């Protein structure tokens, strides 16, 4: 199974799409509606867990527990894929005078939504996210070019990591 957590309007074929609410602009409802901080699925059920523009919508103090939950869902050797605004790039854009979706939106979210779910609560850089991913038990953490907002290469980042084939205590 491939999990698309916090799918929003990006309900994808070939993925088990999960979100807290259905999005009216999505092509169809997600397969599951639930709080993605505690997904009621079996451990190690997913070969991939993907969250595209999701992590920034949670407070920093929520993220470690949420990522631990997502690691629980991953099968050994499974891949986690995260895409989000990159704070380093957003700051460069703000300092260059950009105040639209290239500068301010990565920091706070799109104000036109007028929806608390769409507000950004924390901003990440690769340097701040990598140690968190390692701490929750992932390895092989690497940065890659974003795939879902290709026009935002100068604003967003993609981070991929793997769940080890065996636990730290049983290798």
């Amino acid at each position: 199974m491939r999990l698309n957590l916090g799918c929003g309007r990006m309900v994808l074929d070939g993925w088990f799409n999960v979100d807290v609410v259905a999005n009216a602009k999505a092509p169809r409802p997600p397969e599951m509606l639930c709080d993605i901080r505690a997904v009621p699925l079996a451990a190690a059920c997913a070969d991939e867990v993907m969250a595209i523009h999701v992590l920034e919508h949670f407070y920093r103090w929520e993220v470690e527990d949420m990522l631990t939950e997502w690691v629980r869902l991953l099968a050994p050797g499974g891949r986690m894929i995260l895409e989000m605004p990159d704070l380093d790039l957003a700051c460069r854009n703000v300092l260059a005078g950009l105040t639209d979706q290239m500068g301010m939106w990565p920091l706070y979210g799109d104000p036109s939504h007028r929806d608390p779910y769409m507000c950004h609560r924390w901003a990440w850089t690769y340097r701040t996210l990598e140690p968190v991913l390692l701490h929750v038990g992932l390895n092989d953490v690497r940065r890659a070019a974003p795939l879902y907002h290709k026009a935002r290469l100068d604003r967003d980042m993609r981070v991929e990591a793997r769940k080890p084939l065996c636990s730290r205590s049983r290798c």
Side-chain angles (χ1 to χ4, degrees):
M1 177 185 328
R2 300 163 73 201
L3 294 175
N4 178 15
L5 301 178
C7 63
R9 65 179 175 212
M10 195 176 72
V11 176
L12 302 174
D13 293 332
W15 292 80
F16 189 86
N17 301 279
V18 181
D19 210 330
V20 69
V21 294
N23 187 305
K25 295 181 181 179
R28 60 183 165 78
E31 283 72 24
M32 179 182 281
L33 293 176
C34 71
D35 184 338
I36 62 171
R37 291 172 290 190
V39 181
L41 293 172
C45 67
D47 296 316
E48 289 183 287
V49 169
M50 178 172 73
I52 305 301
H53 284 267
V54 173
L55 218 58
E56 68 272 17
H57 295 270
F58 291 87
Y59 293 110
R60 171 62 183 89
W61 50 266
E62 297 176 287
V63 169
E64 234 171 271
D65 289 341
M66 184 169 64
L67 288 171
T68 298
E69 167 68 359
W70 297 358
V71 170
R72 180 191 71 80
L73 297 169
L74 270 177
R79 181 171 70 149
M80 186 172 294
I81 303 160
L82 305 170
E83 287 191 20
M84 68 202 72
D86 180 323
L87 179 59
D88 285 333
L89 295 175
C91 288
R92 284 185 207 140
N93 292 340
V94 168
L95 291 172
L98 300 175
T99 58
D100 61 1
Q101 59 184 301
M102 297 304 288
M104 298 304 279
W105 290 12
L107 302 175
Y108 302 107
D110 178 353
S112 70
H113 289 291
R114 297 181 180 212
D115 179 352
Y117 283 127
M118 297 305 292
C119 291
H120 292 183
R121 291 175 173 87
W122 195 259
W124 296 92
T125 67
Y126 178 79
R127 288 182 316 281
T128 61
L129 184 57
E130 180 190 32
V132 176
L133 295 174
L134 293 169
H135 180 74
V136 300
L138 295 168
N139 64 19
D140 195 22
V141 180
R142 62 183 72 180
R143 184 177 183 147
L147 298 178
Y148 286 93
H149 292 164
K150 292 179 183 177
R152 304 288 184 250
L153 292 173
D154 54 351
R155 184 195 75 185
D156 294 347
M157 69 174 164
R158 178 182 178 101
V159 179
E160 299 179 8
R162 294 236 174 235
K163 182 175 182 176
L165 291 172
C166 56
S167 71
R168 294 176 190 153
S169 62
R170 289 183 273 150
C171 286

